[in-house]
Amino acid sequence: ARASIASVAIGNFTWSEIYRAYINNCPGFKPLIEKMEGFYRNATLALTLPYPCGMDVFPRQEPIPWVARTSPLTKQEARKSFRLPQSATLVLLSFGGLGLERFPWSNLKEMSEFFFVTTGKSKQEINNVRFLPEAQRKYEDLVRAVDVVVTKPGYGIVADVISHQVRVLYTNRGEFIEYPHLTRALNEYATAEFIPQDQLLSGNLVPYLTRLLSKKENWPAVPLDGAEMAAAKILGLIDR
């Protein structure tokens, strides 16, 4: 701002809003929140993604559609590329590297009607569970390959399941202000089911997966060209 250079924010939440949720327990956050918001107010433009949270701090805002990755592969091609079974009901455990240490992996082998896959830290296969660390680089292809995603909602995975029309079993994220916005998106634009975190961490997935897979599909049309629209708006600022 001091150099009179245009700046563009793109997002569905602000960190000041995230930290504001903890201010009662951590009052020391208040001056940091005020400082962040001071920086945000200097932005030339904020391109707000669907279901925004705390983006009102930006003086000038323009909404854009979902920015989403879309795999060019068919489901069969995606499964073949990862050497996954073609006929299995595939379940992707997607937690962004968070909470997997607490997950009851040994319980999954009893769920023989499902084949589970996750990115993990090292490549291995244990019964009906496969760890594919290299798949992180082609995550959209992995989402395309599966029938269900089990996750804690974050913008990236919510955009992925909407883009690929993959059913999602989601759990809660605790005191995280963005969470209700993302779950509303899942319930409006995806085929989704909730699983309490204690049920997830105890390995009681089967009744929830069964309910989700029998659920009537809900995939209304959703614009996914947010990246192209954002690029056009940024180029417009440069030309100006």
Side-chain angles (χ1 to χ4, degrees), residues 29-202:
F29 282 168
K30 186 176 180 181
L32 302 177
I33 291 168
E34 291 170 350
K35 192 169 187 179
M36 277 190 277
E37 291 187 336
F39 292 144
Y40 287 147
R41 290 189 185 99
N42 285 319
T44 307
L45 174 65
L47 300 176
T48 60
L49 293 164
Y51 298 89
C53 170
M55 297 293 285
D56 290 342
V57 66
F58 293 99
R60 181 186 167 195
Q61 305 164 47
E62 294 183 22
I64 60 172
W66 291 88
V67 172
R69 303 172 289 191
T70 303
S71 172
L73 305 180
T74 65
K75 180 177 283 192
Q76 290 72 28
E77 290 169 341
R79 291 187 175 198
K80 185 178 180 181
S81 71
F82 294 115
R83 298 182 180 178
L84 295 169
Q86 288 287 348
S87 59
T89 301
L90 293 186
V91 179
L92 172 59
L93 302 172
S94 178
F95 294 95
L98 300 175
L100 291 178
E101 294 80 9
R102 299 166 58 198
F103 197 80
W105 298 105
S106 60
N107 293 19
L108 298 181
K109 64 184 179 183
E110 299 172 10
M111 307 176 201
S112 57
E113 64 268 53
F114 301 107
F115 191 96
F116 297 90
V117 62
T118 189
T119 49
K121 293 182 179 179
S122 59
K123 189 172 184 177
Q124 56 181 307
E125 183 172 342
I126 307 169
N127 297 309
N128 58 334
V129 184
R130 186 171 299 175
F131 297 82
L132 297 171
E134 75 280 3
Q136 192 67 47
R137 299 192 303 272
K138 288 284 187 179
Y139 210 74
E140 63 272 28
D141 293 342
L142 191 57
V143 174
R144 174 72 82 197
V146 303
D147 300 294
V148 177
V149 173
V150 181
T151 192
K152 289 182 183 180
Y155 176 86
I157 196 63
V158 170
D160 281 343
V161 298
I162 291 174
S163 173
H164 296 91
Q165 297 189 353
V166 175
R167 295 171 188 260
V168 58
L169 184 64
Y170 68 91
T171 193
N172 57 294
R173 296 190 62 169
E175 194 177 2
F176 195 64
I177 197 71
E178 185 194 15
Y179 175 77
H181 298 262
L182 295 173
T183 57
R184 186 160 62 92
L186 286 175
N187 286 298
E188 291 180 0
Y189 287 113
T191 307
E193 185 76 27
F194 174 75
I195 179 170
Q197 199 169 121
D198 62 336
Q199 295 295 298
L200 175 69
L201 293 177
S202 68

